[in-house]
mmCIF file of all heavy atoms in Angstrom:
data_model
loop_
_atom_site.group_PDB
_atom_site.id
_atom_site.type_symbol
_atom_site.label_atom_id
_atom_site.label_comp_id
_atom_site.label_asym_id
_atom_site.label_seq_id
_atom_site.Cartn_x
_atom_site.Cartn_y
_atom_site.Cartn_z
ATOM 1 N N THR Y 196 -7.493 -1.893 -0.195
ATOM 2 C CA THR Y 196 -8.176 -3.013 -0.623
ATOM 3 C C THR Y 196 -7.069 -3.973 -1.137
ATOM 4 O O THR Y 196 -6.350 -3.704 -2.040
ATOM 5 C CB THR Y 196 -9.134 -2.784 -1.653
ATOM 6 O OG1 THR Y 196 -10.237 -1.911 -1.159
ATOM 7 C CG2 THR Y 196 -9.893 -4.144 -1.971
ATOM 8 N N TYR Y 197 -6.968 -5.121 -0.564
ATOM 9 C CA TYR Y 197 -5.858 -6.160 -0.900
ATOM 10 C C TYR Y 197 -6.635 -7.507 -1.083
ATOM 11 O O TYR Y 197 -7.007 -8.091 -0.188
ATOM 12 C CB TYR Y 197 -4.839 -6.309 0.289
ATOM 13 C CG TYR Y 197 -3.736 -7.181 -0.166
ATOM 14 C CD1 TYR Y 197 -2.897 -6.806 -1.285
ATOM 15 C CD2 TYR Y 197 -3.365 -8.173 0.604
ATOM 16 C CE1 TYR Y 197 -1.800 -7.531 -1.674
ATOM 17 C CE2 TYR Y 197 -2.220 -8.926 0.261
ATOM 18 C CZ TYR Y 197 -1.546 -8.743 -0.784
ATOM 19 O OH TYR Y 197 -0.387 -9.457 -1.216
ATOM 20 N N PHE Y 198 -6.649 -7.903 -2.337
ATOM 21 C CA PHE Y 198 -7.482 -9.064 -2.709
ATOM 22 C C PHE Y 198 -8.882 -8.858 -2.193
ATOM 23 O O PHE Y 198 -9.672 -7.904 -2.644
ATOM 24 C CB PHE Y 198 -6.806 -10.304 -2.281
ATOM 25 C CG PHE Y 198 -5.540 -10.729 -2.986
ATOM 26 C CD1 PHE Y 198 -4.400 -10.506 -2.410
ATOM 27 C CD2 PHE Y 198 -5.566 -11.047 -4.260
ATOM 28 C CE1 PHE Y 198 -3.193 -10.700 -2.950
ATOM 29 C CE2 PHE Y 198 -4.357 -11.314 -5.051
ATOM 30 C CZ PHE Y 198 -3.170 -11.150 -4.290
ATOM 31 N N SER Y 199 -9.366 -9.756 -1.333
ATOM 32 C CA SER Y 199 -10.798 -9.476 -0.925
ATOM 33 C C SER Y 199 -10.809 -8.946 0.629
ATOM 34 O O SER Y 199 -11.808 -8.845 1.290
ATOM 35 C CB SER Y 199 -11.468 -10.869 -0.772
ATOM 36 O OG SER Y 199 -10.842 -11.704 0.001
ATOM 37 N N ASN Y 200 -9.652 -8.420 0.947
ATOM 38 C CA ASN Y 200 -9.496 -7.843 2.238
ATOM 39 C C ASN Y 200 -9.565 -6.402 2.343
ATOM 40 O O ASN Y 200 -9.054 -5.732 1.454
ATOM 41 C CB ASN Y 200 -8.104 -8.281 2.997
ATOM 42 C CG ASN Y 200 -7.904 -9.746 3.040
ATOM 43 O OD1 ASN Y 200 -8.790 -10.361 3.692
ATOM 44 N ND2 ASN Y 200 -7.022 -10.328 2.324
ATOM 45 N N ASN Y 201 -10.361 -5.852 3.345
ATOM 46 C CA ASN Y 201 -10.325 -4.400 3.602
ATOM 47 C C ASN Y 201 -9.475 -4.076 4.771
ATOM 48 O O ASN Y 201 -9.714 -4.602 5.931
ATOM 49 C CB ASN Y 201 -11.780 -3.991 3.980
ATOM 50 C CG ASN Y 201 -12.734 -4.220 2.736
ATOM 51 O OD1 ASN Y 201 -12.452 -3.812 1.614
ATOM 52 N ND2 ASN Y 201 -13.981 -4.692 2.965
ATOM 53 N N VAL Y 202 -8.486 -3.101 4.510
ATOM 54 C CA VAL Y 202 -7.479 -2.876 5.520
ATOM 55 C C VAL Y 202 -7.527 -1.435 5.843
ATOM 56 O O VAL Y 202 -7.453 -0.634 5.001
ATOM 57 C CB VAL Y 202 -6.149 -3.376 5.013
ATOM 58 C CG1 VAL Y 202 -5.097 -3.135 6.117
ATOM 59 C CG2 VAL Y 202 -6.143 -4.798 4.532
ATOM 60 N N GLU Y 203 -7.751 -1.112 7.109
ATOM 61 C CA GLU Y 203 -7.649 0.248 7.568
ATOM 62 C C GLU Y 203 -6.296 0.628 8.236
ATOM 63 O O GLU Y 203 -5.968 -0.221 9.152
ATOM 64 C CB GLU Y 203 -8.719 0.440 8.592
ATOM 65 C CG GLU Y 203 -10.134 0.179 8.133
ATOM 66 C CD GLU Y 203 -11.113 0.258 9.290
ATOM 67 O OE1 GLU Y 203 -10.757 0.266 10.503
ATOM 68 O OE2 GLU Y 203 -12.428 0.282 8.915
ATOM 69 N N VAL Y 204 -5.580 1.594 7.723
ATOM 70 C CA VAL Y 204 -4.180 1.856 8.136
ATOM 71 C C VAL Y 204 -4.023 3.260 8.676
ATOM 72 O O VAL Y 204 -4.565 4.177 7.989
ATOM 73 C CB VAL Y 204 -3.202 1.645 6.973
ATOM 74 C CG1 VAL Y 204 -1.756 1.903 7.337
ATOM 75 C CG2 VAL Y 204 -3.268 0.229 6.381
ATOM 76 N N TRP Y 205 -3.463 3.283 9.786
ATOM 77 C CA TRP Y 205 -3.363 4.613 10.503
ATOM 78 C C TRP Y 205 -1.939 5.055 10.369
ATOM 79 O O TRP Y 205 -0.986 4.373 10.844
ATOM 80 C CB TRP Y 205 -3.836 4.475 12.064
ATOM 81 C CG TRP Y 205 -5.181 4.154 12.128
ATOM 82 C CD1 TRP Y 205 -5.729 2.911 12.322
ATOM 83 C CD2 TRP Y 205 -6.352 5.021 12.174
ATOM 84 N NE1 TRP Y 205 -7.139 3.029 12.360
ATOM 85 C CE2 TRP Y 205 -7.518 4.183 12.285
ATOM 86 C CE3 TRP Y 205 -6.418 6.507 12.067
ATOM 87 C CZ2 TRP Y 205 -8.761 4.823 12.400
ATOM 88 C CZ3 TRP Y 205 -7.731 6.994 12.192
ATOM 89 C CH2 TRP Y 205 -8.849 6.232 12.274
ATOM 90 N N VAL Y 206 -1.816 6.249 9.822
ATOM 91 C CA VAL Y 206 -0.398 6.773 9.359
ATOM 92 C C VAL Y 206 -0.253 8.206 9.907
ATOM 93 O O VAL Y 206 -1.106 8.947 9.971
ATOM 94 C CB VAL Y 206 -0.371 6.763 7.898
ATOM 95 C CG1 VAL Y 206 1.018 7.203 7.383
ATOM 96 C CG2 VAL Y 206 -0.662 5.475 7.213
ATOM 97 N N THR Y 207 1.079 8.261 10.419
ATOM 98 C CA THR Y 207 1.355 9.675 10.875
ATOM 99 C C THR Y 207 2.442 10.207 9.950
ATOM 100 O O THR Y 207 3.399 9.525 9.491
ATOM 101 C CB THR Y 207 2.000 9.726 12.281
ATOM 102 O OG1 THR Y 207 2.332 11.125 12.543
ATOM 103 C CG2 THR Y 207 3.155 8.854 12.438
ATOM 104 N N THR Y 208 2.388 11.467 9.534
ATOM 105 C CA THR Y 208 3.415 12.060 8.591
ATOM 106 C C THR Y 208 4.096 13.254 9.334
ATOM 107 O O THR Y 208 4.878 13.982 8.866
ATOM 108 C CB THR Y 208 2.744 12.668 7.361
ATOM 109 O OG1 THR Y 208 1.669 13.554 7.715
ATOM 110 C CG2 THR Y 208 2.133 11.568 6.495
ATOM 111 N N THR Y 209 3.836 13.308 10.773
ATOM 112 C CA THR Y 209 4.400 14.247 11.566
ATOM 113 C C THR Y 209 5.726 13.768 12.184
ATOM 114 O O THR Y 209 6.514 14.557 12.827
ATOM 115 C CB THR Y 209 3.508 14.648 12.705
ATOM 116 O OG1 THR Y 209 3.252 13.568 13.637
ATOM 117 C CG2 THR Y 209 2.291 15.188 12.219
ATOM 118 N N SER Y 210 6.100 12.526 12.000
ATOM 119 C CA SER Y 210 7.252 11.968 12.499
ATOM 120 C C SER Y 210 8.383 12.027 11.406
ATOM 121 O O SER Y 210 8.176 11.760 10.289
ATOM 122 C CB SER Y 210 7.063 10.446 13.061
ATOM 123 O OG SER Y 210 8.242 9.846 13.159
ATOM 124 N N PRO Y 211 9.631 12.315 11.861
ATOM 125 C CA PRO Y 211 10.831 12.163 10.812
ATOM 126 C C PRO Y 211 11.028 10.838 10.445
ATOM 127 O O PRO Y 211 11.896 10.622 9.517
ATOM 128 C CB PRO Y 211 11.874 12.917 11.651
ATOM 129 C CG PRO Y 211 11.621 12.617 12.943
ATOM 130 C CD PRO Y 211 10.136 12.741 13.148
ATOM 131 N N PHE Y 212 10.588 9.890 11.190
ATOM 132 C CA PHE Y 212 10.831 8.424 10.910
ATOM 133 C C PHE Y 212 9.780 7.799 10.105
ATOM 134 O O PHE Y 212 8.557 8.072 10.330
ATOM 135 C CB PHE Y 212 10.965 7.716 12.281
ATOM 136 C CG PHE Y 212 12.034 8.452 13.122
ATOM 137 C CD1 PHE Y 212 11.750 9.116 14.135
ATOM 138 C CD2 PHE Y 212 13.307 8.165 12.915
ATOM 139 C CE1 PHE Y 212 12.563 9.761 14.988
ATOM 140 C CE2 PHE Y 212 14.331 8.728 13.763
ATOM 141 C CZ PHE Y 212 13.844 9.630 14.738
ATOM 142 N N LYS Y 213 10.218 6.886 9.215
ATOM 143 C CA LYS Y 213 9.285 6.251 8.325
ATOM 144 C C LYS Y 213 9.436 4.765 8.525
ATOM 145 O O LYS Y 213 10.439 4.103 8.781
ATOM 146 C CB LYS Y 213 9.487 6.597 6.781
ATOM 147 C CG LYS Y 213 9.555 8.042 6.424
ATOM 148 C CD LYS Y 213 9.948 8.324 5.105
ATOM 149 C CE LYS Y 213 10.087 9.760 4.744
ATOM 150 N NZ LYS Y 213 10.670 10.061 3.402
ATOM 151 N N GLY Y 214 8.198 4.121 8.323
ATOM 152 C CA GLY Y 214 8.202 2.674 8.301
ATOM 153 C C GLY Y 214 6.788 2.055 8.454
ATOM 154 O O GLY Y 214 5.832 2.808 8.542
ATOM 155 N N SER Y 215 6.811 0.656 8.492
ATOM 156 C CA SER Y 215 5.426 0.012 8.581
ATOM 157 C C SER Y 215 5.726 -1.382 9.142
ATOM 158 O O SER Y 215 6.875 -1.987 8.749
ATOM 159 C CB SER Y 215 4.804 -0.064 7.183
ATOM 160 O OG SER Y 215 3.601 -0.937 7.242
ATOM 161 N N PRO Y 216 4.877 -1.863 9.965
ATOM 162 C CA PRO Y 216 5.002 -3.289 10.356
ATOM 163 C C PRO Y 216 4.655 -4.377 9.324
ATOM 164 O O PRO Y 216 4.805 -5.423 9.403
ATOM 165 C CB PRO Y 216 4.142 -3.359 11.621
ATOM 166 C CG PRO Y 216 3.021 -2.369 11.313
ATOM 167 C CD PRO Y 216 3.749 -1.284 10.515
ATOM 168 N N SER Y 217 4.070 -3.813 8.174
ATOM 169 C CA SER Y 217 3.657 -4.603 6.967
ATOM 170 C C SER Y 217 4.541 -4.244 5.837
ATOM 171 O O SER Y 217 4.589 -3.062 5.449
ATOM 172 C CB SER Y 217 2.191 -4.464 6.783
ATOM 173 O OG SER Y 217 1.842 -4.971 5.585
ATOM 174 N N SER Y 218 4.947 -5.241 5.050
ATOM 175 C CA SER Y 218 5.680 -4.883 3.815
ATOM 176 C C SER Y 218 4.632 -4.642 2.649
ATOM 177 O O SER Y 218 5.126 -4.259 1.483
ATOM 178 C CB SER Y 218 6.553 -6.087 3.428
ATOM 179 O OG SER Y 218 5.874 -7.265 3.296
ATOM 180 N N THR Y 219 3.436 -4.865 2.890
ATOM 181 C CA THR Y 219 2.377 -4.654 1.795
ATOM 182 C C THR Y 219 1.778 -3.328 1.940
ATOM 183 O O THR Y 219 1.466 -2.648 0.913
ATOM 184 C CB THR Y 219 1.254 -5.758 1.968
ATOM 185 O OG1 THR Y 219 1.858 -7.040 1.918
ATOM 186 C CG2 THR Y 219 0.201 -5.637 0.904
ATOM 187 N N PHE Y 220 1.525 -2.842 3.129
ATOM 188 C CA PHE Y 220 0.767 -1.463 3.438
ATOM 189 C C PHE Y 220 1.824 -0.426 3.778
ATOM 190 O O PHE Y 220 2.048 -0.265 4.930
ATOM 191 C CB PHE Y 220 -0.337 -1.670 4.465
ATOM 192 C CG PHE Y 220 -1.214 -2.790 4.095
ATOM 193 C CD1 PHE Y 220 -1.252 -3.943 5.025
ATOM 194 C CD2 PHE Y 220 -1.859 -2.866 2.995
ATOM 195 C CE1 PHE Y 220 -2.085 -5.035 4.666
ATOM 196 C CE2 PHE Y 220 -2.684 -4.025 2.698
ATOM 197 C CZ PHE Y 220 -2.726 -5.119 3.575
ATOM 198 N N VAL Y 221 2.403 0.213 2.762
ATOM 199 C CA VAL Y 221 3.416 1.152 2.921
ATOM 200 C C VAL Y 221 2.982 2.567 2.376
ATOM 201 O O VAL Y 221 2.455 2.558 1.245
ATOM 202 C CB VAL Y 221 4.690 0.753 2.192
ATOM 203 C CG1 VAL Y 221 5.780 1.660 2.287
ATOM 204 C CG2 VAL Y 221 5.236 -0.604 2.797
ATOM 205 N N VAL Y 222 3.268 3.588 3.209
ATOM 206 C CA VAL Y 222 3.004 4.880 2.668
ATOM 207 C C VAL Y 222 4.347 5.641 2.616
ATOM 208 O O VAL Y 222 5.056 5.708 3.496
ATOM 209 C CB VAL Y 222 1.979 5.599 3.737
ATOM 210 C CG1 VAL Y 222 1.759 7.059 3.260
ATOM 211 C CG2 VAL Y 222 0.703 4.834 3.783
#
């Protein structure tokens, strides 16, 4: 939840690489 926005984020933890196309939604 970001301000009034609902954001669904799909994340994999099976990859040795980390990253996100968004600087706000980071795992």
Side-chain angles (χ1 to χ4, degrees):
T196 300
Y197 186 60
F198 293 105
S199 59
N200 299 297
N201 295 316
V202 185
E203 301 170 349
V204 179
W205 297 90
V206 181
T207 180
T208 56
T209 61
S210 166
F212 307 97
K213 303 172 186 177
S215 173
S217 167
S218 60
T219 303
F220 311 115
V221 176
V222 176

